[in-house]
Amino acid sequence: MAAPAVQAARQALAAMPAARPQAATGQELNGRLSAAEHALALEQALTAARRWGLAALPLRAPAPPAVKPELVDGPGVKATPGLPPVVQRVPTSDRVVFLTVDDGAEKDPQFAAMAAELGVPMTVFLSDYLARSDYGYFRALQSHGVGIDNHTLTHPDLRRLDADALQREICGQQDRLQQETGIRPRLFRPPYGEYTEAALRTAASCGVTAFPLWNEEAFPDHLEWRYADQVFHPGDIVLTHFRAPAAGWKGTMADMLRRVVDAATAQGFAIARLEDYL
């Protein structure tokens, strides 16, 4: 049976005349409609949460900040004048964390459907050699608000590359992603979290404005915490990967997403979109 608020909302909708008054009763009807729409949206969100096996209704992120946090050298940010800042943790007091998914090997339709239905914001960092078999999958994610960013063409250790190879790997993937998605990425995640000053300079030369790293790593059956307290902090960046069930990945992409959302919700955090803060 529907909750009383939802039943009342449905009754209010059913009682509305086909032609709405334009004068004195207009505001009252608009208020009733707003309440009804809110109640029905809540019912739909609860239904989706139950369908995907969540422990509770996810918290919604606040509106994106009108002014993005300043990325100056300090806790969680390594900033060098003239180079893209390296961001371990986004400087914000909002109780938000950021879900980021790397590489692009596994293209799980259930994961895409779950993320879209639940409205989970996320950012993906793609390597061309893994993503190229189906960029359409990632364009579909993009159509639901997912950010698409750069993780090199072939996932090399940037510390071992000369200037030409850095240009090819970083700027080549900038060009490729612009071609495939229509948007030139601003964010770049270095493979293995390793980078050099030369890599920072190269990335800056082709439009990159920040290097987000991560604080936690998510798997289908557990979270790995960087810090001893093993809890989220405002602005934490969560790393995970597009992977299929295998040794070391005990479950599906949907299982992983469920674990991240439930952990964030239980600790009073919403998942926000990284591009809205960086």
Side-chain angles (χ1 to χ4, degrees):
M1 181 178 293
V6 175
Q7 289 180 317
R10 287 173 174 165
Q11 291 168 358
L13 284 171
M16 288 180 182
R20 297 180 189 173
Q22 299 298 315
T25 58
Q27 287 185 340
E28 179 185 352
L29 279 170
N30 287 339
R32 290 166 63 194
L33 179 61
S34 176
E37 288 176 334
H38 176 76
L40 290 173
L42 178 60
E43 181 186 27
Q44 290 169 351
L46 286 168
T47 298
R50 294 190 189 104
R51 180 181 301 118
W52 292 107
L54 298 184
L57 189 66
L59 299 174
R60 291 297 176 187
V67 178
K68 294 179 181 180
E70 187 177 4
L71 300 178
V72 297
D73 201 47
V77 179
K78 183 178 180 180
T80 302
L83 297 176
V86 178
V87 182
Q88 189 87 55
R89 175 183 288 143
V90 176
T92 179
S93 59
D94 292 348
R95 289 189 66 80
V96 295
V97 296
F98 305 95
L99 178 60
T100 63
V101 193
D102 280 11
D103 299 344
E106 178 67 10
K107 302 163 184 70
D108 183 348
Q110 284 289 99
F111 169 72
M114 181 180 181
E117 188 171 355
L118 294 173
V120 179
M122 70 181 78
T123 297
V124 305
F125 291 90
L126 299 181
S127 289
D128 180 67
Y129 85 109
L130 294 171
R132 71 173 67 142
S133 63
D134 188 5
Y135 269 109
Y137 177 86
F138 301 105
R139 285 192 292 270
L141 290 178
Q142 184 185 33
S143 73
H144 291 289
V146 172
I148 308 290
D149 286 289
N150 188 339
H151 199 42
T152 71
L153 287 172
T154 67
H155 206 277
D157 185 336
L158 300 183
R159 296 171 298 178
R160 301 181 179 182
L161 302 187
D162 62 18
D164 288 343
L166 286 171
Q167 181 77 21
R168 182 169 58 252
E169 285 288 342
I170 299 173
C171 298
Q173 181 66 340
Q174 286 286 95
D175 295 340
R176 180 76 164 131
L177 289 174
Q178 183 171 11
Q179 175 187 357
E180 291 290 346
T181 70
I183 297 174
R184 195 165 185 82
R186 294 185 299 101
L187 306 181
F188 174 80
R189 172 167 285 157
Y192 316 107
E194 301 290 352
Y195 61 94
T196 62
E197 185 174 319
L200 290 167
R201 285 198 305 271
T202 300
S205 76
C206 49
V208 170
T209 60
F211 274 45
L213 298 182
W214 63 89
N215 306 99
E216 293 85 24
E217 185 168 359
F219 297 83
D221 61 334
H222 70 284
L223 293 172
E224 289 188 356
W225 306 89
R226 182 181 294 270
Y227 304 105
D229 59 5
Q230 297 194 358
V231 295
F232 289 125
H233 304 85
D236 274 3
I237 301 171
V238 181
L239 164 69
T240 191
H241 295 84
F242 287 99
R243 293 184 61 183
W249 189 264
K250 299 176 182 179
T252 66
M253 293 290 297
D255 293 330
M256 176 279 300
L257 184 58
R258 185 178 305 109
R259 184 162 297 277
V260 173
V261 173
D262 278 346
T265 304
Q267 294 185 31
F269 284 85
I271 298 175
R273 189 170 178 266
L274 190 60
E275 286 86 347
D276 290 336
Y277 284 75
L278 293 186

